[in-house]
């Protein structure tokens, strides 16, 4: 048994089992027969095992340098380090689709385990059937148009190698997997929504999908931040977000899933926004397919995109099918969906809807800006570009609006406003004004000063909400404030986790404002031994050397850096800048050296060097404030999400519980 044969057979088996699972789910729904549903659940496990076997076979082929397998011959090399070989399965088109399919089968199996507990015989078959249908699509794509195990008649002695951009940083072992876990995870609430609309049960599904949506959202958040980190440390331009089309494609489902999470809270508590929630989750899952279409169709150019291939048309049809199914069902049942009341805009549900509409509008703008060049070219043949300036101009006012709503929403009560809310809003606006004036007084730009004010505004809102809850519990139960805080944090994980997430978002916005406004770039050609004094730093080029490595050749220019004033604090050290030359690339790939500090990041890049005598090198220095805190903010957001998801302990019942602030 060869890896190619095992992988190919397992792939076909997974496709057949997915089709059978879909058929059994349809029979279970049509006949209302639980035996077919149980059989479909068992098939979900067999499909997972088949997909896992196929994925393991691909890893086997890569690790053993089996170049008779097309994927290995085209995307691996015997000289690749072990860690690169381990991540090579998702380094190109066919393997990434296999990873998606594997994760899809895992989610389907997990839903099958829970289906009997949370879903009835009307909805469980539809939810499982929807997930099986998604599986059928991905396995069919691999079997018929993007087969990773096609045989190579005359295997070469070595493969073409892995994309060098994916070999240059260990983050490529993490970022794509997190992204796929988020993308695939959104298929679950979509399947539950389809089941709810088919069965005409419009309320209970929102409770059943809360956990699934938060898991997918958390993975997407982690993926976006790790992608930023990869871009920052690898691409050599000193930034972390360029509004690249594929970056945008990851942001769109995140925005729509965020909108859904906010309106879902209102449906859970008040029975409102049922139609909005069906629409948001349909669009969120469709956006994952849209992003995959952009990445794999070749219609856009991006450092993240795969080469043009035959799967673009398949994904386009699948995208249209997802939209037709979700929005078509919504159109059919819209007349039956009755809201449990009216929305009052000066209440929390009004603020949450406004926030959701903001996220939806932001997603639409990103889609429009991403596709506009394609539309213009298709209509007129002209080539236009929509780049960072457009997106920055649009995102700044939208971001300000988001931060304002993020502070107001938790402060407002459900339904009518109260006198205490007015006092809270006055304190928040005071913090906004003081923070903004403080920034201006320090000589900072208006935009950064406003970011400081908005950070203080949101921090004040969080503090007021926590203090209100602690005070109420402490008074009603006669316990110390510290104990009240501990009990509230343990028993109201969703509320406290939301505070943590909101704090992380506010911190991220503050760091983005500083880093985008005050980034400084300088470049100088140095002779070996020469010293460059700039930005409170003394930079000396020590030498120029070369290093032959298994999978690349590296030109190395070590630098000695010493701080000469407070402006350069934290940059002291010796750093090895390098240009990596890969056989697959005609030009070298820079590997920046980043020195993080609490305030400034110092970013050193070897741009070019004397290839004949090794006597000079051109060094680029980029100084960017507060980037370290952007990664801290991302970690805080993910930890807040984990805190919400973490199972709550037994609630305190020995005393009468007091209400949590904002509930």
């Amino acid at each position: 048994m060869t890896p190619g044969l095992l992988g190919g057979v397992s792939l076909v088996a997974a496709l057949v089992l997915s089709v059978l699972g879909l058929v059994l789910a349809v029979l279970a729904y049509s006949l209302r027969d639980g035996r077919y549903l149980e059989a479909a659940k068992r098939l979900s496990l067999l499909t997972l095992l088949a997909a896992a076997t196929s994925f393991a076979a691909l890893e086997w082929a890569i690790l053993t340098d089996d170049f008779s397998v097309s994927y290995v011959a085209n995307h691996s090399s015997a000289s690749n380090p072990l860690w690169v070989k381990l991540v090579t399965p998702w380094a190109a088109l066919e393997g990434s689709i296999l990873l998606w399919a594997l994760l899809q089968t895992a989610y389907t199996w997990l839903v099958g385990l829970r289906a009997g507990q949370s879903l009835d015989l009307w909805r469980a078959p539809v939810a499982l059937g929807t997930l099986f249908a998604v599986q059928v699509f991905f396995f069919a794509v691999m079997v018929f148009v993007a087969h990773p195990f096609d045989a190579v008649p005359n295997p070469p002695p070595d493969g073409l190698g892995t994309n060098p951009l994916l070999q240059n940083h260990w983050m490529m072992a993490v970022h794509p997997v997190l992204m796929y876990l988020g993308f695939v995870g959104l298929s679950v609430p979509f399947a539950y929504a389809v089941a709810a609309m088919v069965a005409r049960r419009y309320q209970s599904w929102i409770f059943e999908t809360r956990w699934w949506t938060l898991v997918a959202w958390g993975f997407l958040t982690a993926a976006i931040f790790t992608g930023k980190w990869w871009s920052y440390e690898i691409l050599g331009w000193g930034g972390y977000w360029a509004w690249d089309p594929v970056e945008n494609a990851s942001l769109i489902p995140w925005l729509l899933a965020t909108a859904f999470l906010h309106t879902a809270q209102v449906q859970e508590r008040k029975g409102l926004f049922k139609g909005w929630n069906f629409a948001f989750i349909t669009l969120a899952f469709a956006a994952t397919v849209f992003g995959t279409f952009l990445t794999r169709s070749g219609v856009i150019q991006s450092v993240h995109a795969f080469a043009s291939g035959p799967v673009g048309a398949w994904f386009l049809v699948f995208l249209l099918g997802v939209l037709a199914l979700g929005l078509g069902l919504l159109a059919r049942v819209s007349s039956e969906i009755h809201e449990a009341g009216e929305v009052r805009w000066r209440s929390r549900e009004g603020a949450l809807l406004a926030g959701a509409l903001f996220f939806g509008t932001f997603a639409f703008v990103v889609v429009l800006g991403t596709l506009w060049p394609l539309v213009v070219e298709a209509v007129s043949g002209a080539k236009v570009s929509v780049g960072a300036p457009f997106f920055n101009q649009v995102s700044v006012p939208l971001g300000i609006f988001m931060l304002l709503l993020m502070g107001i929403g938790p402060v407002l009560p459900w339904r009518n406003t109260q006198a205490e809310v007015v006092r809270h809003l006055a304190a928040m606006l005071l913090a906004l004004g003081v923070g903004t004036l403080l920034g201006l007084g320090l000589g900072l730009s208006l935009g950064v000063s406003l970011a400081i004010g908005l950070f203080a505004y949101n921090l004040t809102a969080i503090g007021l909400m926590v203090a209100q809850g602690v005070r109420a519990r402490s008074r009603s139960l006669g316990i110390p404030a510290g104990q009240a805080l501990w009990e509230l944090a343990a028993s109201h994980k969703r509320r406290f986790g939301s505070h943590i997430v909101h704090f992380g978002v506010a911190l991220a916005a503050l760091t983005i404002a500083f880093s985008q406004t005050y980034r400084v770039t300088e470049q100088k050609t140095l002779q070996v031994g020469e010293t460059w004094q700039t930005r409170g730093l003394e930079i000396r080029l020590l030498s120029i050397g070369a290093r032959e490595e298994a999978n690349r050749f590296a030109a190395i220019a070590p630098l000695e850096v010493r701080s000469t004033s407070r402006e350069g604090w934290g940059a002291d050290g010796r750093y090895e800048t390098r240009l990596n030359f890969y056989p697959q690339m005609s030009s070298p790939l820079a590997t920046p050296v980043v020195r993080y500090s609490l305030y400034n990041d110092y970013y050193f890049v070897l741009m070019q060097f004397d290839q004949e005598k090794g006597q000079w090198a051109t060094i680029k220095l980029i100084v960017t404030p507060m980037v370290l805190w952007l990664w801290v903010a991302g970690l805080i957001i993910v930890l807040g999400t984990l805190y919400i998801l973490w199972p709550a302990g037994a609630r305190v019942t020995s005393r009468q519980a007091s209400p949590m602030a904002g509930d």
Side-chain angles (χ1 to χ4, degrees):
M1 178 68 72
T2 64
L5 179 59
L6 177 62
V9 170
S10 301
L11 211 55
V12 173
L15 174 60
V16 172
L17 290 169
S18 297
V19 172
L20 289 175
L22 176 58
V23 170
L24 288 171
V26 171
L27 289 173
Y29 176 78
S30 303
L31 303 176
R32 303 292 184 271
D33 193 331
R35 293 173 299 176
Y36 291 111
L37 179 61
E38 291 302 316
K41 292 179 186 178
R42 288 192 290 271
L43 276 183
S44 69
L45 176 58
L46 293 177
T47 311
L48 170 59
L49 294 175
T53 301
S54 186
F55 190 84
L58 185 59
E59 282 281 19
W60 177 19
I62 293 169
L63 292 173
T64 57
D65 299 322
D66 186 351
F67 300 116
S68 66
V69 175
S70 61
Y71 188 87
V72 183
N74 292 327
H75 306 294
S76 187
S77 171
S79 62
N80 281 354
L82 176 60
W83 79 268
V84 174
K85 290 184 177 182
L86 290 173
V87 305
T88 296
W90 52 86
L93 173 66
E94 299 88 348
S96 65
I97 295 177
L98 178 55
L99 175 62
W100 184 308
L102 172 62
L103 297 176
Q104 188 69 59
T105 59
Y107 274 108
T108 303
W109 174 62
L110 291 172
V111 169
L113 291 179
R114 295 172 61 92
Q117 305 169 8
S118 60
L119 295 177
D120 52 46
L121 199 54
W122 291 86
R123 292 178 298 152
V126 179
L128 269 180
T130 302
L131 294 174
F132 271 120
V134 175
Q135 288 179 197
V136 168
F137 167 76
F138 281 98
F139 286 118
V141 166
M142 285 184 287
V143 169
F144 296 113
V145 293
H147 204 300
F149 298 100
D150 281 340
V152 178
N154 298 303
D158 198 1
L160 298 178
T162 308
N163 184 341
L165 284 171
L166 306 184
Q167 300 184 46
N168 234 27
H169 199 283
W170 62 268
M171 190 57 71
M172 279 301 100
V174 179
H175 165 66
V177 178
L178 292 173
M179 187 65 71
Y180 288 129
L181 283 167
F183 277 13
V184 179
L186 287 176
S187 68
V188 178
F190 171 71
Y192 275 71
V194 169
M197 288 187 284
V198 169
R200 289 180 162 84
R201 301 187 180 184
Y202 308 122
Q203 181 62 25
S204 59
W205 77 281
I206 209 72
F207 300 97
E208 297 152 355
T209 58
R210 177 200 305 165
W211 188 88
W212 294 105
T213 310
L214 271 174
V215 167
W217 186 88
F219 280 128
L220 274 177
T221 302
I224 289 172
F225 275 93
T226 54
K228 288 181 179 181
W229 194 5
W230 173 83
S231 177
Y232 183 63
E233 294 220 346
I234 285 300
L235 297 183
W237 63 292
Y240 43 78
W241 190 267
W243 296 103
D244 176 276
V246 179
E247 291 175 337
N248 296 348
S250 68
L251 180 64
I252 295 164
W254 184 88
L255 290 168
L256 292 167
T258 306
F260 171 73
L261 285 172
H262 285 80
T263 51
Q265 291 184 51
V266 183
Q267 183 173 342
E268 287 181 39
R269 189 176 181 96
K270 297 295 182 181
L272 297 172
F273 308 154
K274 296 184 180 73
W276 282 109
N277 285 323
F278 286 130
F280 278 136
I281 200 59
T282 296
L283 293 174
F285 178 60
T288 68
V289 183
F290 171 73
T292 310
F293 164 72
L294 284 183
T295 310
R296 290 158 180 79
S297 63
V299 300
I300 53 98
Q301 299 298 316
S302 165
V303 297
H304 305 74
F306 294 96
S308 177
V311 302
W314 284 64
F315 274 95
L316 180 59
V317 171
F318 184 54
L319 170 62
L320 295 175
V322 169
L323 291 171
L325 176 62
L327 300 182
L329 284 172
L330 178 57
R332 190 191 73 170
V333 303
S334 59
S335 61
E336 303 174 8
I337 297 176
H338 301 293
E339 305 291 2
E342 296 182 356
V343 180
R344 297 179 180 176
W345 290 101
R346 292 188 302 170
S347 62
R348 187 182 301 181
E349 60 265 33
L352 289 171
L353 178 59
L357 292 175
F358 150 78
F359 285 114
T361 302
F362 200 168
F364 174 75
V365 169
V366 176
V367 171
L368 184 63
T370 304
L371 292 182
W372 188 249
L374 300 177
V375 174
V376 172
E377 185 175 359
V379 173
S380 65
K383 290 187 178 294
V384 300
S385 62
V386 177
F390 164 78
F391 289 108
N392 289 336
Q393 287 178 353
V394 173
S395 63
V396 168
L398 289 175
I400 292 172
F401 182 62
M402 176 197 75
L403 292 169
L404 288 171
L405 277 178
M406 193 172 74
I408 291 174
V411 171
L412 294 175
W414 299 103
R415 298 300 186 193
N416 296 317
T417 59
Q418 300 171 353
E420 191 171 15
V421 173
V422 176
R423 292 195 296 272
H424 285 169
L425 289 176
M428 291 160 57
L429 291 174
L430 178 63
L432 173 61
V434 170
T436 304
L437 291 175
L438 176 63
L440 292 172
L442 293 173
L444 300 175
S445 69
L446 176 60
V448 172
S449 300
L450 183 58
I452 295 173
L454 287 168
F455 179 75
Y457 164 88
N458 278 280
L459 198 60
T460 301
I462 294 170
L464 288 171
M465 289 297 92
V466 173
Q468 180 183 343
V470 169
R471 185 168 56 250
R473 190 178 189 91
S474 178
R475 287 176 178 175
S476 64
L477 302 181
I479 58 177
Q483 182 181 348
L485 175 63
W486 178 265
E487 291 182 359
L488 282 173
S491 59
H492 292 78
K493 289 183 179 292
R494 189 174 182 183
R495 171 59 54 196
F496 271 76
S498 297
H499 290 328
I500 295 171
V501 170
H502 285 179
F503 173 74
V505 172
L507 179 60
L510 181 65
T511 64
I512 290 170
F514 268 92
S515 61
Q516 295 292 89
T517 303
Y518 294 113
R519 179 187 300 142
V520 177
T521 301
E522 295 185 1
Q523 185 169 304
K524 185 175 178 63
T525 298
L526 300 174
Q527 300 293 320
V528 172
E530 183 181 355
T531 298
W532 174 23
Q533 293 190 354
T534 181
R535 300 288 166 184
L537 301 175
E538 188 177 86
I539 304 168
R540 187 160 68 97
L541 176 62
L542 298 177
S543 63
I544 297 174
R547 183 180 301 162
E548 188 76 41
E549 299 177 348
N551 61 328
R552 62 192 180 189
F553 172 82
I556 300 170
L559 305 174
E560 186 175 73
V561 179
R562 188 172 65 89
S563 59
T564 58
S565 69
R566 189 159 62 175
E567 184 182 4
W569 180 84
D572 297 76
R574 182 168 175 165
Y575 309 110
E576 191 177 88
T577 61
R578 56 192 290 164
L579 284 172
N580 293 319
F581 294 80
Y582 291 89
Q584 306 96 309
M585 296 186 74
S586 58
S587 57
L589 183 63
T591 300
V593 175
V594 185
R595 172 68 173 180
Y596 293 98
S597 74
L598 293 178
Y599 182 63
N600 280 331
D601 277 10
Y602 302 93
Y603 196 93
F604 306 96
V605 189
L606 174 60
M607 302 301 295
Q608 55 183 343
F609 64 99
D610 182 1
Q611 300 187 30
E612 295 182 359
K613 298 180 180 180
Q615 295 182 350
W616 58 265
T618 301
I619 304 297
K620 179 192 287 186
L621 167 68
I622 304 174
V623 182
T624 312
M626 293 192 68
V627 177
L628 173 64
W629 295 101
L630 181 62
W631 316 135
V632 172
L635 179 62
I636 290 172
I637 295 171
V638 172
L639 290 177
T641 307
L642 288 174
Y643 189 77
I644 297 172
L645 292 168
W646 198 263
R651 296 174 71 98
V652 178
T653 56
S654 58
R655 306 180 181 95
Q656 180 183 359
S658 65
M660 171 60 189
D663 280 354

